Amino acid sequence: MVNGYSGNILRVDLTNQETSIEHPDDVFYRRYIGGEGFVVYYLLKELKAGIDPLSPENKLIFATGPLTGYAIPGTGRNSVGAKSPLTGGFGEAEVGGHWGAELKHAGFDAIIIEGKAKNPVYLWIQDGEAEIKDANHLWGKVTGEVEALIKKELEDKFIRVAQIGPGGERLVRYACVINDLRNAAGRSGMGAVMGSKNLKAIAVRGHKKLEVHNKDKLREKIKEFNELAYKSVSGYFKHGTGGGIMEQFAKSGNLPTRNFRDGDFSGAEALDPSIMKEEINLTMEACYACSIQCKKVVNIGEPWKVDPKYGGPEYESIAAFGSNCGIDDIKAVCKANELCNKYSLDTISTGVSIGFAMECYENGILSEKDTNGIKLNFGNGEAMVQMTEMIAKREGLGDILAEGVRRAAEKIKNGAPQFAMHVKGQEIPMHEPRLKPGLGIGYAISPTGAEHMANIHDNSFANERAIPLHSAIGILEPIDMNDLSAKKVRILAYYSNWRNLYNALLICYFLPWDYVDVPEIVRSVTGWYTTTWEMMKVGERIITMARIFNIREGFSKKDDCVPQRFFQPHRSGALAETALKSEEFENAVQIYYEMMGWNNKGIPTKIKLEELDIGWLYQYL
Amino acid sequence: MVNGYSGNILRVDLTNQETSIEHPDDVFYRRYIGGEGFVVYYLLKELKAGIDPLSPENKLIFATGPLTGYAIPGTGRNSVGAKSPLTGGFGEAEVGGHWGAELKHAGFDAIIIEGKAKNPVYLWIQDGEAEIKDANHLWGKVTGEVEALIKKELEDKFIRVAQIGPGGERLVRYACVINDLRNAAGRSGMGAVMGSKNLKAIAVRGHKKLEVHNKDKLREKIKEFNELAYKSVSGYFKHGTGGGIMEQFAKSGNLPTRNFRDGDFSGAEALDPSIMKEEINLTMEACYACSIQCKKVVNIGEPWKVDPKYGGPEYESIAAFGSNCGIDDIKAVCKANELCNKYSLDTISTGVSIGFAMECYENGILSEKDTNGIKLNFGNGEAMVQMTEMIAKREGLGDILAEGVRRAAEKIKNGAPQFAMHVKGQEIPMHEPRLKPGLGIGYAISPTGAEHMANIHDNSFANERAIPLHSAIGILEPIDMNDLSAKKVRILAYYSNWRNLYNALLICYFLPWDYVDVPEIVRSVTGWYTTTWEMMKVGERIITMARIFNIREGFSKKDDCVPQRFFQPHRSGALAETALKSEEFENAVQIYYEMMGWNNKGIPTKIKLEELDIGWLYQYL
């Protein structure tokens, strides 16, 4: 087996309570790399089209990458994937922390979980062995309790646990999987799939030493990353994501406000973790082997107790529960974030669902009768915290919001699709497509529905300073923020290919590695003689495969859109006269198709599949 | 100006006897790189469609690359380009030696020559200055005399001369440009264009020191190349191309025999320079700064005197004048090669033209009346040498053959198109598409007509040993020699993109650099933060631009073919039952179009142009 992998894929059949180990060949590993690549491979290979994502027929895949488990900063991540109960399409999310590294140390590259246990179980993996264990006593408990109980009963405090809380058990469609209590495989509803299988947790412990192809080169690259990290992303060390940028985001119009409706938010500074650090007792910690301590830990006594063991909110969570709900109370935000980690809910989808409900409430579509008496106005922090708990418990209106905004908008009396901010059923993340139209195209075409990580942010390519870096893939000139011509779409296509590679390698977006470093570090670990070209093509392969998965599930061109709201300007602020333009937007989607080698209906061509060495998928088109 | 370039492009207007210097911006340099990239840029930008290639409206471009002139092995090359008088389409050829390096040292990246001098002239370039000088006294003289006269009159024996002999003066359509008497920019008829402009020679001398971005890294890479070269291409040190492989080529069917008709050739060993080295007094020499001494020098006293100052034959010349004419006399081959260098004729086109005439002669299509009494049978070495001289002088049948086989087949009585072995008017090089069908597709789609250098050789991808290298661009499994499926076409598309990059960088195919080394060495010289991705896209850009040039000249899908002969097996030998299959071949051409982002008529799409940052060329489609 090539360095970087154990060569072992664990298969767990929950229905029959059996485990087995598979050993794919080297070509499989190199072609699909890991993480999202493994996920999309197995989902296409093993799922039947049209299955219910919450049925035993769905499969839940946990996957690492070739760098996972090495002492390389930014690699303490793993991927979780399945058919999404939120979108009905390709579902995948990545998560930091320590669990992925531990899984690799325990001798596995990935886990495929299939079927459904009769009663709640958890999986116990230790140094090459896997055991399905009873979890009746854990069911219904929040993540903090569960982790403590598992560590106690297995008598090892160094065990790492990936798990669901009650939100996952209750099949909240955007329930997430939580690693180490405070890292979330947030999006796509993977926690609901885990819940549907009666799988409460996966506890992992391993002692395997990982071999390296070229130790000196690896050491040199790590040193470089650490030095560069201090220079280039030093803000993250102090206050993590969102620190120092909230006001600027609000002013530029990038900060989603009141369900993406408004462009003015006076409370941005009150949400800024760099300004509010004393109020929330901010400290910082890191994922496995990482030198960038970007993960917040907050500790609050009143008016809500926020337990530091659940970490603290990222920018996305701050904006989703904060400005997007019109709330300027960072303590309320921290509490909602804590609840999400306790109950295993995705903070973005939870926040956007509540913002949706607030707009419905303010417009009389929902009343106090619907909300159990809660005054669900924008800006009501207490109401937001209450609603978060109600979603997790599927109580009252929470039961409807637990379905995600697309379904909620259909379920509530009179309906409110105009306020449902989602793409393909997944709630919109916290960056404004009116400001960043290229990101808007990215939202539209992303296979998991709206997503902000493997996507471009137009501002990153709009200035001369960006060029020396991106010239590495041939982007030789900056391009205007508002541009949606083929030049912008090219950047989107290239860059989202590149970022989907990161989801396969399971490397963090925050590390200062680039188009040159990535193949070098993969070479130094695995010995594969790889290049930026091969790496880019891995990303393209994955996006194309995810596209095929969605096509097989009935998705089509009409699903590659964003909510109508984005075609109207904000009611005030910097973008009071700026919005997406419908014709230009649709044209850009078409250009994207063509650049990806897809036909004008967005269907990958046979020849493109052959080029990407995935001709076996043509049968699904 | 970025390191690697002088920033100066010399423009020479022969009609008005004026010279000027231009300074393109950095983006131009990075986007088009050099060599073939500059050539295709200027031809598209500055030529009108439909002009006569031998008229003053054609432009002749000499271009170096970013590595030219540095002490890096394999970079002593330059490119020569113009609209081709042989094909009527894109014309370009590369050449080794010392001239290109000297041009860079003289302070120029490229020369654009336009118009036509009233009387013969030559160009004298020295340290940033250019002068148009009278060449009446040089006209009509062979290259060896001209070089000596120029060095003498300019009083510098270190001057380097690129020039044409009487073949170029007489507009032989496949006349070449000769550097240092023994290196030919062989293909596309660039010598005829030079002749049509009354430009006899370009003499160059320079003393400029070239700056390097990262000296240590460059030194390290050069050391690597030299070490690897000794290991991997050591055969070239001893006997150059063709050494030790003639018999094996004959046995496998790869050795073109009797105008590509036959598969048996008993004289292969008699043509092998490693076996015949004493008969031809073989010694070896190198291009500028190169550690691989692959250039033959032969010295023969009888029956023909072959002057060592004209070097010796490459494999292509040996096969073209040897087996392809049924000749097993290496001395005759060496003499024909010397004549080509004296007169400035392309050896491949000359040999194939003579092979064509021999087949016509044996079939009664030409008689002794047509040949001035020469018995032009296959195997007649003396006749072959005579015909070479007659072509250079356009005497008798030579005047017809000087037009290339396509035109010759039309001109001779009764015609003989079935024996005219060309693609787009350019004669086929010395590798068998029946054995290497992927190469056959490459012949068909190459913008300059049949060419073998920026093309795949199927055998190079047919074994497990090749994979570690080519995996760098995602080719993870070997592919059968005979395969013409999309998998093979993908290799062709990727690899020809890569090899066209070499024509822009002006690096030699024989050096052991690969997909990882090339961006590293470009980075170390220029400081551009480039990757394999950007480099591959440069190659793709160039091929696409050359395609557009040809489309603008009226070329279409119907021109992407190979002679019918290749669809029939050899009359004997290894390929007596193997030939290209028409339907499969046409299908593969279509697959190639699609992989390149061209429509099913072979026309690049607007979006592909945008992706390649050459949207400005859409106007020509």
Side-chain angles (χ1 to χ4, degrees):
Chain A
M1 194 59 222
V2 72
N3 292 324
Y5 299 98
S6 70
N8 303 317
I9 308 267
L10 177 64
R11 191 178 288 272
V12 178
D13 177 348
L14 291 175
T15 306
N16 298 304
Q17 305 276 302
E18 286 171 1
T19 66
S20 57
I21 300 174
E22 296 166 12
H23 311 285
D25 64 14
D26 285 8
V27 168
F28 164 83
Y29 277 99
R30 186 156 180 180
R31 189 166 287 150
Y32 304 106
I33 291 290
E36 190 184 14
F38 288 177
V39 165
V40 74
Y41 172 84
Y42 282 112
L43 295 185
L44 278 162
K45 192 93 179 173
E46 302 192 0
L47 290 199
K48 276 188 294 184
I51 58 154
D52 177 354
L54 297 176
S55 75
E57 289 175 293
N58 202 357
K59 301 197 183 189
L60 182 66
I61 294 153
F62 292 77
T64 68
L67 310 180
T68 315
Y70 290 86
I72 306 168
T75 64
R77 297 177 73 74
N78 67 274
S79 164
V80 188
K83 180 173 176 178
S84 167
L86 191 59
T87 68
F90 177 65
E92 195 263 349
E94 306 88 41
V95 50
H98 297 253
W99 186 88
E102 199 70 33
L103 180 65
K104 186 72 86 63
H105 294 155
F108 294 103
D109 300 318
I111 312 171
I112 302 165
I113 292 164
E114 48 195 32
K116 178 183 180 175
K118 261 196 206 113
N119 300 302
V121 296
Y122 76 97
L123 191 61
W124 166 225
I125 296 171
Q126 184 176 217
D127 291 321
E129 305 282 336
E131 192 183 342
I132 300 168
K133 294 180 76 82
D134 178 67
N136 270 303
H137 58 304
L138 304 175
W139 205 251
K141 293 200 161 54
V142 298
T143 55
E145 293 175 280
V146 169
E147 188 180 275
L149 285 166
I150 287 178
K151 286 184 176 183
K152 198 176 163 197
E153 77 183 40
L154 297 176
E155 297 178 350
D156 187 342
K157 66 179 179 175
F158 294 110
I159 283 170
R160 298 291 176 178
V161 181
Q163 60 167 318
I164 52 167
E169 295 174 14
R170 292 197 184 93
L171 312 180
V172 174
R173 283 190 188 265
Y174 45 82
C176 63
V177 176
I178 294 283
N179 285 6
D180 312 315
L181 304 188
R182 47 200 172 286
N183 306 290
R187 314 234 61 202
S188 296
M190 298 297 98
V193 177
M194 196 160 165
S196 76
K197 298 193 170 305
N198 272 331
L199 178 65
K200 180 68 174 168
I202 306 178
V204 181
R205 187 75 172 105
H207 300 83
K208 193 182 162 188
K209 199 178 164 299
L210 304 178
E211 298 297 323
V212 172
H213 172 72
N214 184 340
K215 267 184 197 163
D216 293 341
K217 183 72 186 173
L218 182 61
R219 206 174 292 127
E220 180 194 311
K221 293 307 291 181
I222 291 172
K223 191 163 166 266
E224 259 179 48
F225 291 147
N226 287 333
E227 281 167 8
L228 263 174
Y230 280 97
K231 279 183 214 168
S232 63
V233 290
S234 57
Y236 289 148
F237 289 95
K238 291 184 195 161
H239 318 111
T241 55
I245 52 102
M246 298 303 291
E247 179 71 7
Q248 172 202 326
F249 272 32
K251 281 198 172 142
S252 68
N254 191 48
L255 187 69
T257 300
R258 297 178 203 96
N259 202 31
F260 292 90
R261 187 191 64 189
D262 298 344
D264 62 308
F265 188 67
S266 59
E269 291 199 337
L271 290 176
D272 194 310
S274 71
I275 295 170
M276 305 304 288
K277 59 188 171 183
E278 283 166 22
E279 283 79 354
I280 57 177
N281 290 300
L282 181 66
T283 55
M284 304 301 296
E285 62 167 34
C287 295
Y288 178 81
C290 195
S291 53
I292 304 182
Q293 297 190 93
C294 79
K295 304 304 251 183
K296 298 182 195 72
V297 178
V298 303
N299 188 350
I300 304 175
E302 52 72 43
W304 292 283
K305 182 167 168 42
V306 178
D307 189 335
K309 77 178 170 212
Y310 293 107
E314 298 290 346
Y315 162 74
E316 292 290 320
S317 315
I318 297 172
F321 290 122
S323 56
N324 195 54
C325 291
I327 291 166
D328 62 1
D329 177 353
I330 195 168
K331 290 184 180 178
V333 166
C334 288
K335 183 63 194 176
N337 182 73
E338 184 219 49
L339 290 175
C340 285
N341 289 352
K342 265 184 180 164
Y343 290 112
S344 75
L345 299 185
D346 175 35
T347 57
I348 299 173
S349 286
T350 306
V352 172
S353 295
I354 295 170
F356 160 81
M358 285 175 163
E359 191 164 8
C360 289
Y361 182 84
E362 294 209 341
N363 283 276
I365 295 168
L366 291 174
S367 68
E368 279 185 44
K369 208 177 119 193
D370 300 304
T371 65
N372 294 17
I374 295 171
K375 290 189 174 28
L376 205 54
N377 295 91
F378 281 126
N380 185 344
E382 198 171 333
M384 181 274 287
V385 171
Q386 278 180 287
M387 280 312 306
T388 301
E389 189 125 12
M390 285 168 71
I391 290 169
K393 294 180 173 166
R394 280 190 177 268
E395 287 172 1
L397 179 61
D399 190 36
I400 292 172
L401 298 180
E403 294 290 289
V405 295
R406 181 174 61 181
R407 287 179 176 84
E410 289 163 6
K411 286 192 174 183
I412 61 178
K413 192 179 54 193
N414 300 325
Q418 71 276 24
F419 301 144
M421 300 305 290
H422 72 92
V423 174
K424 296 183 176 69
Q426 175 154 281
E427 287 72 19
I428 312 274
M430 297 297 117
H431 296 269
E432 246 302 343
R434 293 171 179 103
L435 181 71
K436 304 173 178 176
L439 179 85
I441 304 297
Y443 284 166
I445 54 81
S446 165
T448 54
E451 87 92 55
H452 64 292
M453 292 302 281
N455 200 343
I456 61 161
H457 290 257
D458 305 54
N459 52 324
S460 299
F461 296 88
N463 58 67
E464 283 288 352
R465 272 178 299 127
I467 295 309
L469 173 63
H470 297 302
S471 68
I473 51 167
I475 296 163
L476 303 184
E477 288 156 316
I479 180 159
D480 190 80
M481 282 279 281
N482 296 311
D483 194 304
L484 257 191
S485 72
K487 278 187 188 300
K488 177 67 70 61
V489 178
R490 175 176 72 132
I491 297 174
L492 166 64
Y494 280 17
Y495 200 64
S496 64
N497 288 348
W498 184 246
R499 284 299 191 94
N500 276 273
L501 167 73
Y502 282 31
N503 295 349
L505 290 169
L506 266 331
I507 57 179
C508 178
Y509 300 107
F510 292 165
L511 262 284
W513 38 37
D514 60 33
Y515 309 101
V516 174
D517 297 314
V518 169
E520 280 186 359
I521 200 162
V522 173
R523 279 210 297 277
S524 68
V525 169
T526 63
W528 284 333
Y529 201 57
T530 189
T531 64
T532 314
W533 178 271
E534 189 191 12
M535 294 286 97
M536 285 281 276
K537 287 286 166 183
V538 169
E540 187 182 349
R541 182 177 297 126
I542 289 170
I543 293 185
T544 304
M545 291 174 78
R547 182 84 186 171
I548 293 169
F549 185 89
N550 282 348
I551 290 168
R552 197 173 66 167
E553 295 296 337
F555 285 75
S556 70
K557 190 170 155 175
K558 71 174 179 346
D559 301 297
D560 297 337
C561 59
V562 293
Q564 276 305 307
R565 171 157 280 181
F566 293 129
F567 297 96
Q568 292 135 23
H570 283 158
R571 298 202 307 187
S572 57
L575 305 178
E577 287 172 7
T578 307
L580 294 176
K581 294 174 199 76
S582 179
E583 201 178 318
E584 186 186 49
F585 192 87
E586 280 162 31
N587 184 47
V589 170
Q590 285 291 335
I591 293 171
Y592 177 80
Y593 291 168
E594 196 172 334
M595 281 200 182
M596 293 298 288
W598 304 350
N599 71 17
N600 61 11
K601 291 178 178 163
I603 299 169
T605 62
K606 187 166 192 287
I607 296 305
K608 175 50 78 175
L609 301 192
E610 293 285 359
E611 191 217 322
L612 295 174
D613 256 339
I614 46 173
W616 63 279
L617 291 171
Y618 189 63
Q619 59 182 310
Y620 300 126
L621 294 176
Chain B
M1 194 59 220
V2 71
N3 291 325
Y5 299 98
S6 71
N8 303 318
I9 308 265
L10 176 67
R11 191 177 290 271
V12 179
D13 176 349
L14 290 176
T15 306
N16 298 304
Q17 304 276 302
E18 286 169 2
T19 66
S20 57
I21 299 175
E22 296 166 12
H23 311 285
D25 66 12
D26 285 9
V27 168
F28 164 83
Y29 277 100
R30 186 154 178 182
R31 189 167 287 150
Y32 305 107
I33 292 289
E36 190 184 15
F38 288 176
V39 165
V40 74
Y41 172 84
Y42 283 111
L43 295 185
L44 278 161
K45 192 93 179 172
E46 302 192 0
L47 289 198
K48 276 188 295 183
I51 59 154
D52 177 353
L54 297 176
S55 76
E57 289 175 292
N58 202 357
K59 300 197 182 189
L60 182 66
I61 295 154
F62 292 77
T64 68
L67 310 181
T68 315
Y70 290 85
I72 306 168
T75 64
R77 298 176 75 71
N78 68 275
S79 163
V80 188
K83 178 171 176 179
S84 167
L86 191 58
T87 69
F90 177 67
E92 196 262 351
E94 305 88 42
V95 51
H98 297 253
W99 186 88
E102 199 71 31
L103 181 65
K104 186 73 86 64
H105 294 155
F108 295 103
D109 300 319
I111 312 170
I112 302 165
I113 292 163
E114 49 194 34
K116 178 182 178 175
K118 259 191 209 120
N119 299 302
V121 296
Y122 75 98
L123 191 61
W124 166 223
I125 297 171
Q126 185 178 217
D127 292 320
E129 305 282 335
E131 191 184 342
I132 300 168
K133 293 178 76 81
D134 178 70
N136 270 302
H137 58 302
L138 304 175
W139 205 253
K141 293 200 161 53
V142 299
T143 55
E145 292 175 282
V146 169
E147 188 180 274
L149 286 165
I150 287 178
K151 287 183 177 184
K152 198 176 163 196
E153 76 185 40
L154 297 176
E155 296 177 350
D156 187 343
K157 67 178 179 178
F158 296 110
I159 283 170
R160 299 291 177 177
V161 182
Q163 61 167 318
I164 53 167
E169 296 174 14
R170 293 195 183 93
L171 311 181
V172 174
R173 285 189 185 267
Y174 44 82
C176 62
V177 176
I178 294 281
N179 285 7
D180 312 315
L181 304 187
R182 47 201 174 285
N183 306 289
R187 314 234 63 203
S188 296
M190 297 299 97
V193 177
M194 196 161 166
S196 76
K197 297 191 172 305
N198 272 332
L199 179 65
K200 180 68 174 168
I202 306 179
V204 182
R205 186 76 173 104
H207 299 83
K208 193 183 162 188
K209 198 180 165 297
L210 304 178
E211 298 298 323
V212 173
H213 170 73
N214 184 339
K215 265 184 196 162
D216 292 343
K217 182 73 186 173
L218 181 62
R219 205 173 294 126
E220 179 195 311
K221 293 307 293 181
I222 291 172
K223 191 164 166 262
E224 258 180 46
F225 291 148
N226 286 332
E227 281 168 7
L228 262 173
Y230 280 98
K231 280 184 211 163
S232 64
V233 290
S234 59
Y236 289 149
F237 289 95
K238 292 183 194 161
H239 318 110
T241 55
I245 52 101
M246 299 302 291
E247 179 72 8
Q248 171 203 328
F249 272 31
K251 280 196 172 144
S252 68
N254 192 49
L255 187 70
T257 300
R258 296 176 206 97
N259 201 31
F260 292 90
R261 186 191 66 190
D262 298 344
D264 64 308
F265 188 67
S266 59
E269 291 200 337
L271 290 175
D272 194 310
S274 71
I275 294 170
M276 304 305 287
K277 59 188 171 183
E278 284 168 21
E279 284 80 354
I280 57 178
N281 290 301
L282 182 66
T283 54
M284 304 301 296
E285 62 169 30
C287 295
Y288 178 80
C290 194
S291 53
I292 304 182
Q293 297 191 91
C294 80
K295 306 302 254 182
K296 296 181 195 72
V297 177
V298 303
N299 187 350
I300 304 174
E302 51 73 41
W304 292 283
K305 181 166 169 43
V306 178
D307 189 335
K309 77 176 169 214
Y310 293 106
E314 298 290 346
Y315 162 73
E316 292 290 320
S317 315
I318 296 172
F321 289 123
S323 56
N324 194 54
C325 291
I327 290 165
D328 61 2
D329 177 354
I330 195 166
K331 292 184 178 179
V333 166
C334 289
K335 184 63 193 176
N337 181 72
E338 183 218 47
L339 290 174
C340 285
N341 290 352
K342 266 184 180 166
Y343 291 111
S344 79
L345 299 183
D346 175 36
T347 57
I348 298 173
S349 287
T350 306
V352 172
S353 296
I354 295 170
F356 159 82
M358 285 175 162
E359 190 164 8
C360 290
Y361 183 85
E362 293 210 342
N363 283 275
I365 295 167
L366 291 173
S367 68
E368 279 184 46
K369 207 177 118 194
D370 301 301
T371 64
N372 294 18
I374 296 171
K375 290 189 172 34
L376 205 52
N377 297 91
F378 281 124
N380 185 344
E382 197 170 335
M384 180 274 288
V385 171
Q386 279 179 287
M387 279 312 306
T388 301
E389 189 124 12
M390 286 168 71
I391 289 169
K393 296 180 173 167
R394 281 190 175 268
E395 288 174 359
L397 178 62
D399 190 36
I400 292 172
L401 297 181
E403 294 290 291
V405 295
R406 181 176 61 181
R407 288 176 175 83
E410 289 162 6
K411 287 192 172 182
I412 61 181
K413 192 181 53 195
N414 300 325
Q418 70 277 25
F419 301 145
M421 301 305 289
H422 72 90
V423 174
K424 297 184 176 66
Q426 175 154 281
E427 289 71 18
I428 311 273
M430 298 295 116
H431 297 268
E432 246 301 344
R434 295 170 178 102
L435 181 70
K436 303 173 177 176
L439 179 85
I441 304 297
Y443 284 165
I445 55 81
S446 167
T448 54
E451 85 91 54
H452 64 293
M453 291 303 280
N455 200 345
I456 61 163
H457 290 256
D458 305 55
N459 52 323
S460 300
F461 297 88
N463 58 65
E464 283 288 351
R465 271 178 302 127
I467 294 310
L469 173 63
H470 297 300
S471 69
I473 51 167
I475 296 164
L476 303 184
E477 288 155 317
I479 180 158
D480 190 81
M481 283 278 280
N482 296 313
D483 194 303
L484 256 193
S485 72
K487 277 186 189 299
K488 175 67 69 63
V489 178
R490 175 175 73 131
I491 297 175
L492 166 64
Y494 281 16
Y495 199 64
S496 64
N497 288 348
W498 185 246
R499 284 300 191 94
N500 276 273
L501 166 73
Y502 283 30
N503 295 350
L505 289 170
L506 266 331
I507 57 180
C508 178
Y509 301 107
F510 292 165
L511 263 283
W513 39 38
D514 60 35
Y515 309 101
V516 174
D517 297 316
V518 169
E520 280 186 359
I521 200 160
V522 173
R523 279 207 298 277
S524 68
V525 169
T526 64
W528 284 332
Y529 201 56
T530 191
T531 64
T532 314
W533 178 271
E534 189 191 11
M535 294 286 98
M536 285 282 277
K537 287 286 165 182
V538 169
E540 187 182 349
R541 182 177 297 126
I542 289 169
I543 293 184
T544 304
M545 291 174 79
R547 181 83 185 173
I548 293 168
F549 185 91
N550 282 347
I551 290 168
R552 196 173 68 167
E553 295 296 338
F555 285 75
S556 68
K557 190 169 153 175
K558 69 174 181 345
D559 300 297
D560 297 335
C561 59
V562 293
Q564 277 305 309
R565 173 158 279 180
F566 292 130
F567 297 96
Q568 292 134 23
H570 282 156
R571 298 202 308 190
S572 56
L575 305 178
E577 286 171 10
T578 306
L580 294 176
K581 293 173 199 77
S582 179
E583 199 178 323
E584 185 185 49
F585 193 86
E586 281 163 31
N587 184 47
V589 170
Q590 285 291 336
I591 294 172
Y592 177 80
Y593 291 168
E594 195 172 335
M595 282 199 181
M596 293 298 287
W598 303 350
N599 71 17
N600 61 13
K601 289 176 178 162
I603 299 170
T605 64
K606 187 165 191 289
I607 296 304
K608 175 51 79 177
L609 301 191
E610 293 285 359
E611 191 217 322
L612 296 173
D613 255 340
I614 46 173
W616 64 278
L617 291 171
Y618 190 63
Q619 59 182 310
Y620 299 126
L621 294 176

